[in-house]
Amino acid sequence: MATINDFKVLHQLSVNYFDTLVQERFASDSEILSSLQVLPEQKRSRLGFYILAIEQLTELSDYADIADCVTDTEFNQILFSDSSDDFGIDAVVIENDTKHIKLFNFKHREKFKVGNQGVNDTLLSAKYLNAIYNDNLAGMTGKPLKFAKEIKKNNFSNDVWKITLYVVSNEDCDAAYIDNHLKQFQDSYALEIVPVGLSEISDLISLRPSPVSATLTLDREAVMSFTENPLSSSKSYIVRLSLAELIRITCNSPELRGRYNLEDISELANTSLDSSVLFDNVRGFVLKSKFNENIAETIKVNATKFFMYNNGLTLIANDIVAESINGKVKIKIDLSDFQVLNGGQTLRTVHDFNNVDSNNITEYLCKAEVLVRIFKTQSQLELNSKIAEYTNSQNTISNVDLKSLRKEQISLEHYLQSHDILYSRKTGDTGIKQVKPYKIQISMEKFGQILMAYHGMPEKSVNAKKNIFDKFYDLLFMKNKTLLEDSVGQIESFHKVKDAYRRLRHIESSDQKIFYIIYIVDKAKLEINDAISLLEEVLDTYQQTLSKEIARNRLLIHIAFKNALDKKIEELEAEEAEEAEE
């Protein structure tokens, strides 16, 4: 259950999201920036809440990209002077890779409240869906119209699309509760309704934790120790741990985490997970995941076989102190400043199962055991990241997430932070500083795409972005000797190009075009506006050579187009050389 402190933390984070967005988006327009910065804090919190929630529940990570998906009338009126009717839908995110349409309905409270989400606000979303399904988009303008056309096109395609309506609120409500009216609404439009309240959002957001420590005792036969070499005094351990003990050492009560001799485990029924232990976990929590349901079902039906069915957890600790007690029959282990690098899904689900029924801790969880590997790493960032990467590699986790704990990524985060740039290594990470807003926010993935452009591969920045953190990772991040020194200028250049396109309203912009402009400016040493003109000129010329019409953005991934652009740059350089000789 969420608390009023969770509400306050979410409020401040939402304000930070909004302030960072407007600082980045309107840095070149001091008049607009000033007017937005003096908005009442509650309004900034509400508008920033949209950005924060969408980041948690979609694949988007850059605040500016997320803002482009918000359809809420007030949001767009305040930020973009666009008063288009939102028709009951506050945001639309279309994920083409997974064929998933995500709709959002937000409810933001100014005061902490416990209770179920209102039904009427959700049912207002029917207005938007009715317009699409009845093929009547009259009255729609702006973003709502743009997304409605795309949804309509997808629905009439041969592909199977999933539609989810997220009902998101900052109040503490029962996320499992769906009113009968909502069930009818869900069935009528063949979509899934996912209520998300304060508890879920607090669980999803990535707060930089205070150190978490715990003490446990185990039968000697349940512990195996090992060292890297016989001369090392640093030991790590593989242990067989009951799920009740796992709950105790990761719960939100420091007092219970230290009570290794706890006799009445029913005291654990009222605890919840301390999310701080999952800060370095690479896998986010998937709401209503089938995988999570299977874990809970195994605990209930086959508790004694859980050890065999589950892959276990991997923990790292800054320090591990073990000693024999009770005539060497048991081993007492003190864990200092530990993190769960692998097994976050299991850990969250175990705690959720505990919270469902106060009897579960004594009836089921105490009977199930799990394998836990505990490594003493003493804050060795490179070692921690390797452990996280290798122990998670057998699961379907993106290369971006696996690389998020690498030493070079953490170094980038700290370096960019010193230049007031928020480098988001992971979804929900709001940076090292929590109060002062950053001037720019950039995701790790977006920075990788920028580096691709600087390395002469703008055509692969979007189309082959999965390879950025796989095939091209060493080239972009490991072998790049001036990575830190160049990073600030490269990120600022990306935003300068973005601003230039915003001022040139007659030319359609896209990230793919921006990556090309970065490439042209770097290669041909042109001014940004001249590079934009050159790109449009080559696009026009290249399009005329094709036998069939192809969308301009699709042309940008053609290697033949890239070759045509390089040829044009060479011609311009040759002309300049001739003029210089004369």
PDB file of all heavy atoms in Angstrom, residues 3 82 125 150 170 173 229 357 380 396 410 520 528 567:
ATOM      1  N   THR A   3       1.891   5.232   0.542  1.00  0.00           N
ATOM      2  CA  THR A   3       1.748   6.137   1.680  1.00  0.00           C
ATOM      3  C   THR A   3       1.742   7.583   1.196  1.00  0.00           C
ATOM      4  O   THR A   3       2.026   7.876   0.024  1.00  0.00           O
ATOM      5  CB  THR A   3       2.902   5.946   2.672  1.00  0.00           C
ATOM      6  OG1 THR A   3       4.125   6.386   2.036  1.00  0.00           O
ATOM      7  CG2 THR A   3       3.042   4.491   3.081  1.00  0.00           C
ATOM      8  N   ASP A  82      -2.085  24.873 -28.579  1.00  0.00           N
ATOM      9  CA  ASP A  82      -2.976  24.060 -29.398  1.00  0.00           C
ATOM     10  C   ASP A  82      -4.133  23.590 -28.516  1.00  0.00           C
ATOM     11  O   ASP A  82      -3.936  22.820 -27.580  1.00  0.00           O
ATOM     12  CB  ASP A  82      -2.214  22.857 -29.951  1.00  0.00           C
ATOM     13  CG  ASP A  82      -3.084  21.962 -30.824  1.00  0.00           C
ATOM     14  OD1 ASP A  82      -4.288  22.260 -30.983  1.00  0.00           O
ATOM     15  OD2 ASP A  82      -2.570  20.953 -31.341  1.00  0.00           O
ATOM     16  N   SER A 125     -13.438   8.091 -22.413  1.00  0.00           N
ATOM     17  CA  SER A 125     -12.548   7.647 -23.482  1.00  0.00           C
ATOM     18  C   SER A 125     -13.324   7.031 -24.639  1.00  0.00           C
ATOM     19  O   SER A 125     -12.812   6.923 -25.755  1.00  0.00           O
ATOM     20  CB  SER A 125     -11.534   6.629 -22.943  1.00  0.00           C
ATOM     21  OG  SER A 125     -10.792   7.175 -21.875  1.00  0.00           O
ATOM     22  N   GLU A 150      -4.018   7.112 -37.688  1.00  0.00           N
ATOM     23  CA  GLU A 150      -3.057   6.008 -37.656  1.00  0.00           C
ATOM     24  C   GLU A 150      -3.673   4.756 -37.035  1.00  0.00           C
ATOM     25  O   GLU A 150      -3.461   3.645 -37.518  1.00  0.00           O
ATOM     26  CB  GLU A 150      -1.810   6.427 -36.882  1.00  0.00           C
ATOM     27  CG  GLU A 150      -0.646   5.471 -37.073  1.00  0.00           C
ATOM     28  CD  GLU A 150       0.670   6.015 -36.536  1.00  0.00           C
ATOM     29  OE1 GLU A 150       0.725   7.215 -36.193  1.00  0.00           O
ATOM     30  OE2 GLU A 150       1.623   5.222 -36.435  1.00  0.00           O
ATOM     31  N   ASN A 170      -2.692   9.216  -9.552  1.00  0.00           N
ATOM     32  CA  ASN A 170      -1.712   9.338  -8.476  1.00  0.00           C
ATOM     33  C   ASN A 170      -2.344   9.107  -7.110  1.00  0.00           C
ATOM     34  O   ASN A 170      -1.747   9.391  -6.079  1.00  0.00           O
ATOM     35  CB  ASN A 170      -1.031  10.711  -8.509  1.00  0.00           C
ATOM     36  CG  ASN A 170      -1.991  11.845  -8.192  1.00  0.00           C
ATOM     37  OD1 ASN A 170      -3.198  11.736  -8.426  1.00  0.00           O
ATOM     38  ND2 ASN A 170      -1.471  12.951  -7.677  1.00  0.00           N
ATOM     39  N   CYS A 173      -5.104   3.402  -5.146  1.00  0.00           N
ATOM     40  CA  CYS A 173      -6.324   2.662  -5.452  1.00  0.00           C
ATOM     41  C   CYS A 173      -5.990   1.210  -5.747  1.00  0.00           C
ATOM     42  O   CYS A 173      -4.838   0.854  -5.980  1.00  0.00           O
ATOM     43  CB  CYS A 173      -7.049   3.282  -6.642  1.00  0.00           C
ATOM     44  SG  CYS A 173      -6.008   3.414  -8.106  1.00  0.00           S
ATOM     45  N   ASN A 229      40.168 -17.244  -5.821  1.00  0.00           N
ATOM     46  CA  ASN A 229      41.425 -17.991  -5.727  1.00  0.00           C
ATOM     47  C   ASN A 229      41.680 -18.326  -4.257  1.00  0.00           C
ATOM     48  O   ASN A 229      41.142 -17.662  -3.363  1.00  0.00           O
ATOM     49  CB  ASN A 229      42.594 -17.201  -6.334  1.00  0.00           C
ATOM     50  CG  ASN A 229      42.838 -15.895  -5.599  1.00  0.00           C
ATOM     51  OD1 ASN A 229      43.365 -15.895  -4.481  1.00  0.00           O
ATOM     52  ND2 ASN A 229      42.472 -14.775  -6.233  1.00  0.00           N
ATOM     53  N   ASP A 357      -2.812 -12.091   0.812  1.00  0.00           N
ATOM     54  CA  ASP A 357      -3.488 -12.738   1.927  1.00  0.00           C
ATOM     55  C   ASP A 357      -2.502 -12.848   3.092  1.00  0.00           C
ATOM     56  O   ASP A 357      -1.384 -13.348   2.919  1.00  0.00           O
ATOM     57  CB  ASP A 357      -3.979 -14.126   1.511  1.00  0.00           C
ATOM     58  CG  ASP A 357      -4.903 -14.768   2.538  1.00  0.00           C
ATOM     59  OD1 ASP A 357      -4.641 -14.622   3.750  1.00  0.00           O
ATOM     60  OD2 ASP A 357      -5.878 -15.429   2.136  1.00  0.00           O
ATOM     61  N   GLN A 380      32.450  -2.390  -7.032  1.00  0.00           N
ATOM     62  CA  GLN A 380      33.240  -2.445  -8.256  1.00  0.00           C
ATOM     63  C   GLN A 380      32.269  -2.345  -9.436  1.00  0.00           C
ATOM     64  O   GLN A 380      31.657  -3.337  -9.826  1.00  0.00           O
ATOM     65  CB  GLN A 380      34.044  -3.742  -8.325  1.00  0.00           C
ATOM     66  CG  GLN A 380      35.046  -3.907  -7.189  1.00  0.00           C
ATOM     67  CD  GLN A 380      35.758  -5.246  -7.267  1.00  0.00           C
ATOM     68  OE1 GLN A 380      36.377  -5.573  -8.279  1.00  0.00           O
ATOM     69  NE2 GLN A 380      35.666  -6.024  -6.204  1.00  0.00           N
ATOM     70  N   THR A 396      14.881 -12.662 -22.009  1.00  0.00           N
ATOM     71  CA  THR A 396      14.614 -11.700 -23.068  1.00  0.00           C
ATOM     72  C   THR A 396      14.669 -10.274 -22.521  1.00  0.00           C
ATOM     73  O   THR A 396      13.652  -9.632 -22.305  1.00  0.00           O
ATOM     74  CB  THR A 396      13.237 -11.960 -23.702  1.00  0.00           C
ATOM     75  OG1 THR A 396      12.257 -11.962 -22.651  1.00  0.00           O
ATOM     76  CG2 THR A 396      13.214 -13.278 -24.425  1.00  0.00           C
ATOM     77  N   ILE A 410      27.847   4.601 -16.559  1.00  0.00           N
ATOM     78  CA  ILE A 410      27.761   5.309 -15.284  1.00  0.00           C
ATOM     79  C   ILE A 410      28.693   6.521 -15.282  1.00  0.00           C
ATOM     80  O   ILE A 410      28.357   7.589 -14.771  1.00  0.00           O
ATOM     81  CB  ILE A 410      28.077   4.356 -14.123  1.00  0.00           C
ATOM     82  CG1 ILE A 410      27.000   3.265 -14.042  1.00  0.00           C
ATOM     83  CG2 ILE A 410      28.156   5.112 -12.794  1.00  0.00           C
ATOM     84  CD1 ILE A 410      27.284   2.176 -13.044  1.00  0.00           C
ATOM     85  N   ILE A 520      25.948  15.560 -41.677  1.00  0.00           N
ATOM     86  CA  ILE A 520      26.348  16.518 -42.713  1.00  0.00           C
ATOM     87  C   ILE A 520      27.166  17.663 -42.112  1.00  0.00           C
ATOM     88  O   ILE A 520      28.214  18.048 -42.660  1.00  0.00           O
ATOM     89  CB  ILE A 520      25.101  17.072 -43.437  1.00  0.00           C
ATOM     90  CG1 ILE A 520      24.396  15.956 -44.211  1.00  0.00           C
ATOM     91  CG2 ILE A 520      25.493  18.203 -44.381  1.00  0.00           C
ATOM     92  CD1 ILE A 520      23.031  16.367 -44.753  1.00  0.00           C
ATOM     93  N   ILE A 528      23.859  24.672 -39.833  1.00  0.00           N
ATOM     94  CA  ILE A 528      22.712  23.769 -39.711  1.00  0.00           C
ATOM     95  C   ILE A 528      21.667  24.012 -40.797  1.00  0.00           C
ATOM     96  O   ILE A 528      21.201  23.070 -41.453  1.00  0.00           O
ATOM     97  CB  ILE A 528      22.076  23.897 -38.313  1.00  0.00           C
ATOM     98  CG1 ILE A 528      23.017  23.319 -37.254  1.00  0.00           C
ATOM     99  CG2 ILE A 528      20.721  23.167 -38.262  1.00  0.00           C
ATOM    100  CD1 ILE A 528      22.537  23.502 -35.823  1.00  0.00           C
ATOM    101  N   LYS A 567      28.106  11.709 -52.316  1.00  0.00           N
ATOM    102  CA  LYS A 567      28.602  12.184 -53.616  1.00  0.00           C
ATOM    103  C   LYS A 567      28.377  13.686 -53.765  1.00  0.00           C
ATOM    104  O   LYS A 567      29.255  14.416 -54.246  1.00  0.00           O
ATOM    105  CB  LYS A 567      27.895  11.430 -54.745  1.00  0.00           C
ATOM    106  CG  LYS A 567      28.409  11.783 -56.126  1.00  0.00           C
ATOM    107  CD  LYS A 567      27.716  10.957 -57.208  1.00  0.00           C
ATOM    108  CE  LYS A 567      28.240  11.347 -58.590  1.00  0.00           C
ATOM    109  NZ  LYS A 567      27.562  10.571 -59.667  1.00  0.00           N
TER     110      LYS A 567
END
